[in-house]
Amino acid sequence: MEESKRTGIKISGMHCANCAKNLERALSGRKGIIEAHVDFSNETAFVKYDPSRVSITDMEKTISEAGYKAVNQNVTISIGGMHCASCAAKVKDAIAGLDGVVDVTVNPATESAFVTYNPDNVSVSEFRNVVTKAGYEYRGVAGEAGEEESERLRRIEQNGRIRRIIVSFAVSIPLMVLMFLPHTLPFDYGIFSLIISVPVFIYVSWPIFKAAFAALRRFNLTMDVMYAMGIGTAFVASVMGTFGIILTHEFMFYDTAIMLAGFLTLGRYLETRARGKTSASIKKLIGLQPRTATIIDEKGERKVPVEEVRIGDVIIVKPGEKIPVDGTVTAGESRVDESMISGEPIPVAKKEGDPLVGGTINQHGVLNFRAERVGSDTVLSQIIKLVRDAQGSKPPIQQIADKVVSYFIPFILVIALVTFSIWYFVVGSTLLFALTTLIAIMVIACPCALGLASPTAVTVGIGRGAELGILVKNGGALENAQKITTVVFDKTGTLTRGKPEVTDLSGVNCSDDVLLSMAASVEKGSQHPLADAIVEKASERGLEIRSVTGFNTLEGKGVSASLDNKIVLIGNRKLMQENGVEFDSLEQRITPLEAEGKTVVLVAEEKQLRGVLAIADPPKDTSAKAVRELEKMGLEVVMMTGDNRRTAVSVAERLGIKNVLAEVLPGDKASEVKKLQGNNKSVAFVGDGINDAPALAQADIGIAIGSGTDIALESGEIVLVKSDPVDVVAAIQLGRKLLSRIKLNLFWAFAYNAALIPLAAGVLYPIWKITFRPELAALAMAFSSVTVVTLSLMLKSYIPPVKEKA
């Protein structure tokens, strides 16, 4: 079996949560599809599949058969070297063979290929590769319609709804007025209404009936089926009343049938409009992507589509232009606005050797840089994909709504039929009244609000997190934030700046410079931050850094190497004790340094102590504030470090942390997290995302502090772009807010149905003679989903309390 793949397919034509559930079932039932989740709020199907058994085209066929449409991207590629239909066929087969290509049309006369494809599976750069391999010349992109295609289809659909709404009310309201006029009209009201209503009813309600027929063909019950039954019953009853077939002339529902269809269409319009705003953060991120780049080569400067940029290309960026891809400055100096990545408003100075991130803006000077990450590998592309995937994830709380939705329509249908039977057969009310309650129940019931309660909140909440520099990999992570009881911080690079400095030197039987030169020569081969600090200090002093042999890393203890044919050991007390190095004479110097929170490094040559270095990694300015805020929220804060206990406690005291796990080897961090979990604690682990990967994976929530340019390397479910400990607090606060908003949405969705379905069934009629007309029921249905989506949209302006204080 070939390795499984994942893809996302944009969908149009879904009208309610039941549409999503039915499409989900249709996809899940297809052979080769391992897992399918359809997100109604994002109009996207997320599919895990076996590419050896099912293709993207097969999936799209299933989507079409279910009555919906897959939305893809289109691109026109210019191709040279085609001379005949055979050439065109060869190019077509080459492109069509890529997984994710839906359709290809090749025109040798215009030397172009029009490709419809799924961007989650295949990219334009892959088209270039297969065209070149087929023996033809790839000349670039002639025109492309990406995310705009989905937006274009939505606009067409919305404009059609507006026209139907206008027509429905322009006809139904006059018909209603005519019905209440004295019956001295010069024409038969029933025949007149029938003639006027038929074309209008077909025009306004056709999308509803079309969707209902598509659902019934697959033996699915959807809200479109319910709505079609409701408005269809009203219209058929009117026709029967007009001609006196079983029913009398009092069954004149023409105005009601058209107005019902109009209100249902209005509901769809308002809901789609509101849902369109939930993914504004993705659109904003996509808008940051530059379209072109100016490449410098032997021909001079030339502007090309950003898709054609290759790794190693030298690109020039002038003041005011966006950096097209990720890379490193090769010439020039300037300041770059990196607020889209770091959130910091102050532009960052850039010179030769400094990294650049695609999508950021060059402000002053001219920069030349070498492209190092292009296409889907750029930081911005990774962020967009991460946010899009996260918005499509399903938090556990949504399972409640999903279960209710799956039983909702059959349940409502039973209630409607039972209500009709009770009023007509048991109570003995008029057929007109019983039929009115039946129609009202079928159009007022709304599982859409239940289906939208969680996805819309997750979409907006995760988008808002991205704007705050909090990248969430799945909705479940934010939901789990409410359960967290303990936050464990790795010390180095998380609570501290991660750039240690040598602060103290004390040689034994040698000068400080000799001690530092010896230490730097050995540490040059190490990747540890403390080693970097020693080498940097020696370089600052202009000391000689010599070559060594036999370099060896002793995990959790230090390093060793042969320098001038003498064995040099550099590390902690444990390393010295194991090798019989006496260091008691230096304890009076070591203890005060450790009390100041400094890491002490001992140096020995041929088992003789040569001195001690003290290295300090100062805490970040916001670390103490983050600890205070977490404790105010009732959370236990723990610091974990490989430092000796005295140094660790000193740093912890400065930050206000009472619980310290010291002298923890890198490989033991995950087991320490597991021990805490064994004490019935729900743990969030905060680390750098690389060395701390096992601990991040073990924790209930892994929060990786990144540098903004290393997002691809980060582990954990939440990535903090700005490396600010306060953002740990903000992430937890955002998670708590999101869960409370989902619960509020679910409450209103349940409350709406619980309150209005009995009202539509006529429970208040026997005492207060209160009924719910079908037209008003349809209007109430329209506003139920809008209410839930609006509550979710309020998250767009949410500012975590810890950020408000700042």
Side-chain angles (χ1 to χ4, degrees), residues 468-470 625 722 724 726-727 729-731 733 798-806:
L468 294 168
I470 302 167
K625 178 183 178 181
K722 290 184 280 186
D724 186 348
V726 165
D727 282 349
V729 186
Q733 289 175 341
Y798 173 71
I799 301 174
V802 71
K803 294 279 189 180
E804 283 182 342
K805 293 176 183 177

Side-chain angles (χ1 to χ4, degrees), residues 229 314 380 461 466 475 701 784:
M229 289 172 63
V314 176
L380 183 56
I701 298 180
S784 64

Side-chain angles (χ1 to χ4, degrees), residues 214-258:
L216 289 174
R217 276 200 304 270
R218 298 185 64 84
F219 304 101
N220 288 328
L221 271 177
T222 67
M223 283 312 297
D224 284 302
V225 174
M226 297 286 285
Y227 297 152
M229 289 172 63
I231 60 180
T233 300
F235 195 82
V236 170
S238 302
V239 174
M240 293 172 68
T242 299
F243 294 105
I245 303 171
I246 302 176
L247 305 177
T248 63
H249 271 60
E250 65 180 344
F251 289 86
M252 289 293 181
F253 290 123
Y254 290 115
D255 59 322
T256 299
I258 295 172

Side-chain angles (χ1 to χ4, degrees), residues 14 39-44 275-276 278-279 391 451-452 455-456 459:
M14 293 191 296
D39 184 351
F40 175 46
S41 64
N42 267 332
E43 297 179 312
T44 304
R275 276 194 289 122
T278 62
S279 54
Q391 288 180 335
L452 289 169
T456 54
T459 298

Side-chain angles (χ1 to χ4, degrees), residues 497-504 529-530 532-534 536-537 540 598-599 613-618:
R497 293 176 185 171
K499 191 169 175 59
E501 300 172 353
V502 175
T503 58
D504 300 88
L530 298 183
D532 292 341
I534 293 171
E536 188 174 328
K537 189 70 171 179
E540 283 177 9
K598 297 175 181 177
T599 300
L613 298 88
I615 301 173
D617 183 10

Side-chain angles (χ1 to χ4, degrees), residues 76-370:
T76 301
I77 303 169
S78 294
I79 299 170
M82 293 190 296
H83 307 295
C84 61
S86 177
C87 293
K90 192 174 179 183
V91 170
K92 180 177 180 178
D93 290 343
I95 297 174
L98 292 170
D99 189 29
V101 173
V102 178
D103 188 44
V104 187
T105 303
V106 180
N107 187 338
T110 58
E111 295 185 303
S112 63
F114 182 81
V115 187
T116 302
Y117 67 103
N118 183 322
D120 266 21
N121 281 71
V122 66
S123 67
V124 174
S125 62
E126 291 177 75
F127 300 154
R128 175 181 56 219
N129 294 339
V130 295
V131 168
T132 305
K133 284 180 182 177
Y136 299 93
E137 180 189 357
Y138 176 87
R139 293 177 176 171
V141 176
E144 183 171 356
E147 286 287 320
E148 293 96 350
E149 177 64 11
S150 179
E151 193 60 39
R152 185 184 70 82
L153 287 173
R154 185 182 283 114
R155 278 199 303 270
I156 291 171
E157 190 177 47
Q158 288 290 76
N159 289 338
R161 284 171 178 157
I162 291 172
R163 288 193 294 271
R164 286 183 166 86
I165 292 165
I166 292 170
V167 169
S168 69
F169 292 121
V171 174
S172 62
I173 292 173
L175 282 179
M176 183 181 288
V177 172
L178 279 174
M179 188 177 67
F180 288 105
L181 290 177
H183 292 288
T184 56
L185 298 170
F187 50 82
D188 184 288
Y189 171 76
I191 298 296
F192 174 78
S193 297
L194 175 62
I195 294 170
I196 295 294
S197 300
V198 167
V200 175
F201 181 74
I202 291 173
Y203 173 67
V204 176
S205 63
W206 174 244
I208 298 171
F209 280 101
K210 182 182 176 183
F213 292 145
L216 289 174
R217 276 200 304 270
R218 298 185 64 84
F219 304 101
N220 288 328
L221 271 177
T222 67
M223 283 312 297
D224 284 302
V225 174
M226 297 286 285
Y227 297 152
M229 289 172 63
I231 60 180
T233 300
F235 195 82
V236 170
S238 302
V239 174
M240 293 172 68
T242 299
F243 294 105
I245 303 171
I246 302 176
L247 305 177
T248 63
H249 271 60
E250 65 180 344
F251 289 86
M252 289 293 181
F253 290 123
Y254 290 115
D255 59 322
T256 299
I258 295 172
M259 196 174 286
L260 271 174
F263 274 129
L264 291 171
T265 306
L266 174 63
R268 294 269 163 85
Y269 172 80
L270 294 173
E271 182 185 310
T272 301
R273 186 181 176 191
R275 276 194 289 122
K277 296 177 182 178
T278 62
S279 54
S281 59
I282 278 284
K283 293 173 187 173
K284 190 184 294 184
L285 287 169
I286 290 172
L288 294 171
Q289 293 180 308
R291 300 274 183 173
T292 60
T294 304
I295 291 178
I296 303 176
D297 55 20
E298 64 279 358
K299 299 176 184 176
E301 294 182 15
R302 60 189 179 94
K303 191 160 281 192
V304 300
V306 73
E307 294 86 3
E308 293 187 23
V309 176
R310 299 183 182 184
I311 294 172
D313 283 346
V314 176
I315 300 167
I316 183 170
V317 187
K318 296 170 183 176
E321 292 182 342
K322 286 183 180 179
I323 312 294
V325 296
D326 298 358
T328 301
V329 177
T330 56
E333 291 187 5
S334 182
R335 285 188 170 274
V336 176
D337 178 1
E338 294 187 338
S339 57
M340 55 78 83
I341 289 291
S342 67
E344 299 297 333
I346 300 172
V348 180
K350 297 289 181 179
K351 62 183 184 305
E352 185 177 346
D354 287 340
L356 294 176
V357 179
T360 57
I361 302 170
N362 182 29
Q363 293 206 324
H364 300 298
V366 176
L367 291 174
N368 289 6
F369 75 98
R370 183 178 59 257

Side-chain angles (χ1 to χ4, degrees), residues 491-492 496 498-506 516 519-520 523 528-537 570-571 590 593-603 612-619 643-644 647-648 651 654:
K491 179 179 80 73
T492 305
T496 62
K499 191 169 175 59
E501 300 172 353
V502 175
T503 58
D504 300 88
L505 288 163
S506 183
L516 185 57
E523 293 284 14
H528 197 282
L530 298 183
D532 292 341
I534 293 171
V535 173
E536 188 174 328
K537 189 70 171 179
I570 304 176
I590 294 172
L593 293 172
E594 290 179 338
E596 294 172 15
K598 297 175 181 177
T599 300
V600 172
V601 177
L602 301 171
V603 181
V612 60
L613 298 88
I615 301 173
D617 183 10
D643 286 347
N644 68 74
T647 300
V651 174
R654 290 170 63 186

